[in-house]
Amino acid sequence: MKNTTSAVKANKTVMVLLILGLSTIIFPLYMTIIIAFKQPSEMTNSISGLLSLPKTWSLNNFREAMEVTDFWRSLRNSLLISVTTVVLSIIIHSLMGYTLGRNKKSKFYNFIYLFIVSGMFVPFAILMMPLAKQTAELGLANWVGVVLLYVVFYMPMNVMLYSGYLVNIPLALEEAARVDGASTWRTYWKIIFPIMKPMHATVAVITALAVWNDVMTPLVVMAGSSQNTLPLAQLNFQSQFGTNYNLAFASYLLSLIPILVFYLICQKQILNGVVNGAVK
C-alpha cells in the first residue's frame, strides 16, 4: 500500500513538473504568434493588451517581413548551407566514427579519437579572427567556406556519437560479411551504414539545428558579401527595425517553420539514436 501511495505521489510530481516545463514553452510561443499577427496599433503597455488575441488575423506582417529580409533568397542560402553540411557530416563523420570506434584498442586510433573529441572544448571566439583571415586568403569567404567550417566544428560531437553507437552493433555481422567475401568498404555501406539510421537522424537534427540558428560563423566568414542566411537577415532587420516587434516576430516564425518541419519528420529516430549513442 505504501509503495502504491509513493508511486501516485511521484506521478503527480512528474505531472506538475511536466506542466511547468510545458508552460515555459507554450507561453513564449503563444506570445510570438499573437504579436506576429497583431498590428502596431494593437500593441499596448498593459498586460491584457499584450495577451489578447489580434482583432483581425492578417498576413500583412509576414508579407512585409519577407520583403524586408529578402526571405526567399535568405531561405535558399540557409537551406543550401544546412543541407550540404548535414549530408557531408553524415558521410564523413560516420566513416570516421566507424574507423575510430572499431579500433579503440589501438593506442594510435585511441589518441586520434581523443584528439578529435577534445575539439569540443575549443571556443569559437579563439578561432574567429584567424579563420576569417584564412578563408578570405583562400577565396572561401562564401557559403562553401562556411560549410567546410561547420563540418570541422561539429566533427568532435558527431564522431563521439557514431563511435558510441557502434557498441550496439555486434561484430558478428561484419565477420559474417567477410566470410561471404565482402570487403570492409562494402561491409560498411551495405550493413553498418543502414543500421546506423537512428544515429544518422540524430546527427542530422542536431547539426541542422546548430547550423540553421548560427549567426557568428556566416557573419565572420561572409562579412561584406551579399549572401545572407536567415539569422543574418534577421540580425540586419533588427538593427534597422528594432522597435517593430510585429515584423520581427513574424520573421522569427518564418525562420522557425522549415527547421520545425524537419524535426517533426525525424523525431521518431532521435530518441533511440541519442540513448544508444551515449553508450560507450
Side-chain angles (χ1 to χ4, degrees), residues 114-207:
L114 294 176
F115 178 78
I116 292 176
V117 172
S118 65
M120 289 190 294
F121 303 102
V122 180
F124 177 73
I126 296 177
L127 306 173
M128 183 169 58
M129 296 310 297
L131 287 176
K133 184 176 181 179
Q134 290 177 5
T135 52
E137 291 178 351
L138 294 173
L140 294 174
N142 48 43
W143 70 270
V144 177
V146 173
V147 168
L148 292 177
L149 291 179
Y150 281 145
V151 173
V152 175
F153 289 161
Y154 302 118
M155 182 187 299
M157 179 181 63
N158 292 344
V159 168
M160 183 179 67
L161 290 173
Y162 275 119
S163 61
Y165 190 82
L166 281 170
V167 176
N168 301 280
I169 302 177
L171 282 169
L173 294 175
E174 299 174 50
E175 293 172 353
R178 292 193 185 98
V179 170
D180 291 338
S183 63
T184 302
W185 185 256
R186 185 177 180 84
T187 300
Y188 173 76
W189 288 112
K190 294 295 184 181
I191 299 176
I192 304 301
F193 190 82
I195 292 177
M196 291 196 296
K197 183 180 177 181
M199 185 50 62
H200 296 327
T202 302
V203 168
V205 172
I206 293 175
T207 305

Side-chain angles (χ1 to χ4, degrees), residues 223-243:
S225 67
S226 59
Q227 296 177 329
N228 274 339
T229 60
L230 279 177
L232 272 182
Q234 291 178 355
L235 180 65
N236 297 331
F237 172 82
Q238 291 175 0
S239 62
Q240 298 178 21
F241 305 94
T243 58

Side-chain angles (χ1 to χ4, degrees), residues 71-148:
F71 177 77
W72 293 113
R73 185 177 181 181
S74 301
L75 176 64
R76 181 194 64 189
N77 292 334
S78 288
L79 286 174
L80 178 62
I81 292 174
S82 299
V83 172
T84 307
T85 301
V86 167
V87 172
L88 291 177
S89 296
I90 290 176
I91 295 174
I92 297 174
H93 298 165
S94 63
L95 279 168
M96 295 180 65
Y98 172 71
T99 303
L100 297 174
R102 286 297 193 230
N103 296 279
K104 279 188 177 181
K105 294 181 179 180
S106 169
K107 292 183 178 180
F108 174 75
Y109 283 100
N110 192 47
F111 171 78
I112 296 298
Y113 171 78
L114 294 176
F115 178 78
I116 292 176
V117 172
S118 65
M120 289 190 294
F121 303 102
V122 180
F124 177 73
I126 296 177
L127 306 173
M128 183 169 58
M129 296 310 297
L131 287 176
K133 184 176 181 179
Q134 290 177 5
T135 52
E137 291 178 351
L138 294 173
L140 294 174
N142 48 43
W143 70 270
V144 177
V146 173
V147 168
L148 292 177

